[in-house]
Amino acid sequence: MIELKHVSKTFDSDSGGVDALKDVSLTIEDGDIYGIIGMSGAGKSTLVRCINLLEKPTAGEVVVDGQRLDTMTPAQLRAARREITMIFQRFNLLMQRTCLQNVCFPMELSGVKKADAVRRAKELLELVGLPDKAQAYPAQLSGGQQQRIAIARALATQPKVLLCDEATSALDPNTTHQILELIRDINQKLGITVVVITHQMSVVKTICNHVAILDGGVVAEKGLVSEVFAAPKSAAGRRLVFPGGADALVSDPQAVRRVRLTFRDSVTTGTPLVARLASEEGILCTVISASTQKLSEEVYGSMLLGIPSGQFQRAMDYIDTMSNIRVEEVDGHVQ
Ligand SMILES: Nc1ncnc2c1ncn2[C@@H]1O[C@H](COP(=O)(O)OP(=O)(O)OP(=O)(O)O)[C@@H](O)[C@H]1O
């Protein structure tokens, strides 16, 4: 289990301190795939670097597998870091070494005998689907293949935790999908806990079970991906899940009040709500935006309606009678 308890990180800069993380508390269970998402500058990289103590928190505790990392000696920390490995957006492979030598490298550092290291490296190249690239150099590989080698190298010390810092951000959508499949496969086969840092919703939706949304160094909300993404409660969550600030331009806030409806399951998403409001209640709403998404094999719908101000309460009472629909009024900025 990874536990961050009231972690804060302040960087010194010429113009004063920068509070990159403010009182962040998170628990990531063993074997989970946990996404940390947020806009640029939200503190994602700082957070992930605090998990393996590449950054030392200014305050708070980092506990991995029951061991408190932030009070360890450098030697203890080096040993603990073998269990917490990391992959990066730019792969960070050693370009003068072959793929096999890259995968052997962390084993060399930790004193594994050469023959054993080579045997394990070959198994890992097999696991990531590139057994034939052992003697190739990184520059001879595509970005997706380089990330596979980086994953093999990260697994060389038999870690318990794999940290992925924007690991697919430099890849095209198809390759991204393949790498995410590989990470999920490794999580299932080896039981490794995975922490995914990303600014892409699609990445979190594809592989994560849980997610925390970071905003300005603070955890704005956290929970199951299906729950957070179906009905985000925080302003930062709504900005991520329902982008489209232009919505505010397409209806007159003086004449209509806006509500966001979120639906769960295919029966509810199939309900002709707008038509029923019109035919049964005589309320003519405008649909400002609407979408459906699939999360964890469930279908979720979201619709932003403009309801004529004079009929607002009647419409809300009617919608309240329907099951599996969550309704909330949103302000003029449509968050
Ligand atoms: N070494 C540093 N010195 C000073 N400020 C820093 C340092 N590292 C990060 N920061 C600041 O901390 C804040 C959080 O940065 P961080 O890189 O963690 O965000 P991020 O969410 O990962 O952003 P991005 O998605 O753009 O990488 C930013 O304001 C950044 O400028």
Side-chain angles (χ1 to χ4, degrees), residues 120-322:
R120 172 136 180 87
K122 285 183 175 165
E123 283 168 15
L124 288 167
L125 289 175
E126 190 85 44
L127 180 74
V128 300
L130 293 177
D132 52 330
K133 297 294 183 194
Q135 299 312 324
Y137 285 87
Q140 297 170 310
L141 305 186
S142 68
Q145 289 171 329
Q146 290 191 46
Q147 195 59 292
R148 282 173 190 269
I149 300 296
I151 291 171
R153 184 180 60 178
L155 298 177
T157 49
Q158 300 183 297
K160 294 194 176 126
V161 177
L162 176 65
L163 307 174
C164 309
D165 190 358
E166 297 283 4
T168 54
S169 297
L171 305 174
D172 65 58
N174 204 11
T175 312
T176 292
H177 193 74
Q178 290 166 3
I179 294 292
L180 294 178
E181 289 286 314
L182 175 64
I183 292 172
R184 182 165 34 204
D185 197 41
I186 286 164
N187 162 261
Q188 284 169 359
K189 276 193 189 139
L190 308 180
I192 291 180
T193 308
V194 180
V195 183
V196 174
I197 299 298
T198 182
H199 63 277
Q200 294 171 298
M201 283 255 307
S202 57
V203 168
V204 177
K205 277 201 227 174
T206 306
I207 57 165
C208 297
N209 307 312
H210 290 93
V211 64
I213 298 176
L214 265 191
D215 183 35
V218 172
V219 176
E221 74 181 278
K222 59 190 171 186
L224 281 170
V225 169
S226 52
E227 288 174 4
V228 171
F229 281 8
K233 294 184 185 69
S234 63
R238 287 193 281 262
R239 273 199 305 276
L240 271 171
V241 177
F242 310 121
D247 289 348
L249 303 175
V250 299
S251 68
D252 175 5
Q254 304 302 321
V256 297
R257 288 169 71 176
R258 300 186 189 90
V259 294
R260 178 168 315 282
L261 306 175
T262 35
F263 313 74
R264 191 173 173 162
D265 79 39
S266 51
V267 176
T268 321
T269 47
T271 305
L273 177 84
V274 175
R276 282 179 58 182
L277 269 171
S279 65
E280 294 174 24
E281 297 289 319
I283 299 173
L284 302 177
C285 298
T286 47
V287 178
I288 300 169
S289 67
S291 67
T292 54
Q293 54 178 334
K294 207 167 149 210
L295 298 168
S296 309
E297 301 310 310
E298 278 246 54
V299 182
Y300 294 84
S302 152
M303 188 156 58
L304 194 63
L305 286 186
I307 300 177
S309 300
Q311 296 168 311
F312 181 76
Q313 198 48 54
R314 214 152 45 80
M316 292 295 267
D317 292 345
Y318 183 82
I319 295 167
D320 268 346
T321 64
M322 310 186 105

Side-chain angles (χ1 to χ4, degrees), residues 11-12 18 20 39-46 166:
F11 291 106
D12 293 327
V18 178
M39 304 288 184
S40 185
K44 305 180 295 295
S45 294
T46 307
E166 297 283 4

